[in-house]
Amino acid sequence: MKKIILLITVALFLGELQAKVLTVSNRAGNSAQYKTVPAAITAAAAGDTIYIHGSETSYGDVTIDKKLTLMGTGHNPKKELALVSTLGTVTVDAFNGGASGTSLIGLRIGSVSNATYGQKDVTIKRCRIDSYIYAFGSTGGISTNWIIENCIFPYVQISNDKTNVYNFLIRNNIITQGLYGTHTCVIDNNVFIGSSAAFSDVHYAIIQNNVFYGATPKGAANSTFNNNITFSPSDSALPYGTNGGSLNKVNVDPKFTKFTANVGFSYDHDYRLQASSPGKNAGTDKTDIGIYGGIGFSETGEPPVPVVRVFTILNGVVAPNGKLNIKISAEAKN
């Protein structure tokens, strides 16, 4: 009996009527249109989706110079052959408006960087970033209206110019270092783990429903802290300085289901809250504080499209004019 695991790409969301799905694989024997991501980007038109098959080998660095969706298998896919779509440095180049509107979904990425121009309306979703996300432009405009959600990453660096409005939405992420230079942003339902300050040069932010475990909430000014949990031996008080807010739970154990302190992120951890946690249904929206409140969290990072888990051929031999009997097990992804 032969089992074939595949992804239904026909369900990929096509934001524009004429948008196409281009496929990439660098594995020998895989049927895809392109072997490299840069070749697919060159061939793609603005608004297209590039689906990157999982592989044992990284696809390397890429530069995106037009509005595209790059989609992978997830950073921790739930499959029999759990191959990850891995990229090196992804440069989002917004010269003349270029890559503004780009989405990165379901990928393992070394880092996200940019050219000198500011990018607008960029989405990074269900990705694991190994190093950093740089989201600022020194020439030709500033980066605005980014969404970073359901990701795992060390830190985001925007700009330290607090006169600009950035309007970033950073929600339901696991953050192992912090957020630097984020102004007029919403920081919601994240888990900060580590041993240093979670913020640096953060101003005019709404900071709510987060868990600070080991990491302290210091480094923000003129911001509002609501319904957060801090659990740190020092500097855990909320609010502080020029900040305001209420209903924060200071220096209390959030009671994750499974967590080992001082080891950083691990897929073995379970950041769901125990029934006795002080964060249960205690968020501003009456859901849990932390990553499983609000929009929730995907442990696999698989993109929000239907996934065929198992495609089973029930009869290995088919007579002429006979029928091939198959059984499909599928799962809808939100």
Side-chain angles (χ1 to χ4, degrees), residues 265-289:
F265 169 76
S266 172
Y267 285 114
D268 291 331
H269 291 161
D270 186 345
Y271 298 92
R272 293 176 178 84
L273 302 183
Q274 299 177 36
S276 59
S277 168
K280 288 295 292 182
N281 302 315
T284 57
D285 59 355
K286 307 304 181 184
T287 65
D288 289 356
I289 294 174

Side-chain angles (χ1 to χ4, degrees), residues 30-320:
N30 266 29
S31 58
Q33 295 164 287
Y34 301 93
K35 293 183 179 180
T36 70
V37 177
I41 291 174
T42 299
D48 285 351
T49 293
I50 298 175
Y51 179 75
I52 304 169
H53 286 266
S55 174
E56 303 90 343
T57 305
S58 172
Y59 288 89
D61 299 344
V62 301
T63 296
I64 305 171
D65 59 0
K66 64 195 77 170
K67 177 185 175 182
L68 296 172
T69 295
L70 269 59
M71 183 179 295
T73 58
H75 56 78
N76 184 35
K78 180 185 173 184
K79 296 181 179 180
E80 291 182 349
L81 186 60
L83 297 177
V84 176
S85 310
T86 304
L87 302 175
T89 295
V90 176
T91 300
V92 184
D93 187 354
F95 178 68
N96 289 334
S100 290
T102 283
S103 295
L104 306 173
I105 305 172
L107 299 162
R108 179 78 179 258
I109 301 173
S111 60
V112 177
S113 189
N114 54 272
T116 56
Y117 288 80
Q119 299 80 19
K120 297 176 174 59
D121 306 309
V122 172
T123 296
I124 305 175
K125 181 176 182 178
R126 301 193 183 198
C127 292
R128 181 170 180 180
I129 315 297
D130 294 324
S131 186
Y132 55 78
I133 300 172
Y134 281 170
F136 57 89
S138 59
T139 305
I142 60 173
S143 298
T144 58
N145 301 324
W146 284 41
I147 298 174
I148 304 172
E149 66 182 26
N150 255 245
C151 293
I152 304 162
F153 58 85
Y155 69 93
V156 173
Q157 173 73 61
I158 305 181
S159 171
N160 59 4
D161 181 0
K162 56 181 173 288
T163 63
N164 288 323
V165 176
Y166 298 99
N167 288 335
F168 276 48
L169 174 58
I170 302 172
R171 62 180 178 180
N172 295 82
N173 303 286
I174 298 171
I175 303 171
T176 60
Q177 291 184 31
L179 305 176
Y180 310 139
T182 52
H183 306 301
T184 57
C185 299
V186 175
I187 302 165
D188 190 12
N189 282 106
N190 301 285
V191 169
F192 293 84
I193 55 177
S195 58
S196 59
F199 305 121
S200 177
D201 201 39
V202 170
H203 294 259
Y204 311 111
I206 297 173
I207 304 168
Q208 59 188 20
N209 306 321
N210 303 283
V211 175
F212 299 88
Y213 195 110
T216 74
K218 298 301 182 181
N222 305 310
S223 297
T224 302
F225 286 87
N226 289 324
N227 300 70
N228 299 281
I229 291 177
T230 68
F231 190 48
S232 173
S234 62
D235 292 328
S236 59
L238 285 177
Y240 58 86
T242 58
N243 303 299
S246 62
L247 300 178
N248 298 287
K249 302 177 186 298
V250 175
N251 202 23
V252 297
D253 189 345
K255 296 186 178 179
F256 294 132
T257 297
K258 182 181 179 183
F259 182 75
T260 303
N262 302 317
V263 299
F265 169 76
S266 172
Y267 285 114
D268 291 331
H269 291 161
D270 186 345
Y271 298 92
R272 293 176 178 84
L273 302 183
Q274 299 177 36
S276 59
S277 168
K280 288 295 292 182
N281 302 315
T284 57
D285 59 355
K286 307 304 181 184
T287 65
D288 289 356
I289 294 174
I291 57 174
Y292 288 98
I295 64 169
F297 187 76
S298 168
E299 299 89 356
T300 66
E302 292 174 330
V305 297
V307 176
V308 174
R309 294 297 182 196
V310 178
F311 185 103
T312 305
I313 299 175
L314 300 177
N315 53 329
V317 178
V318 181

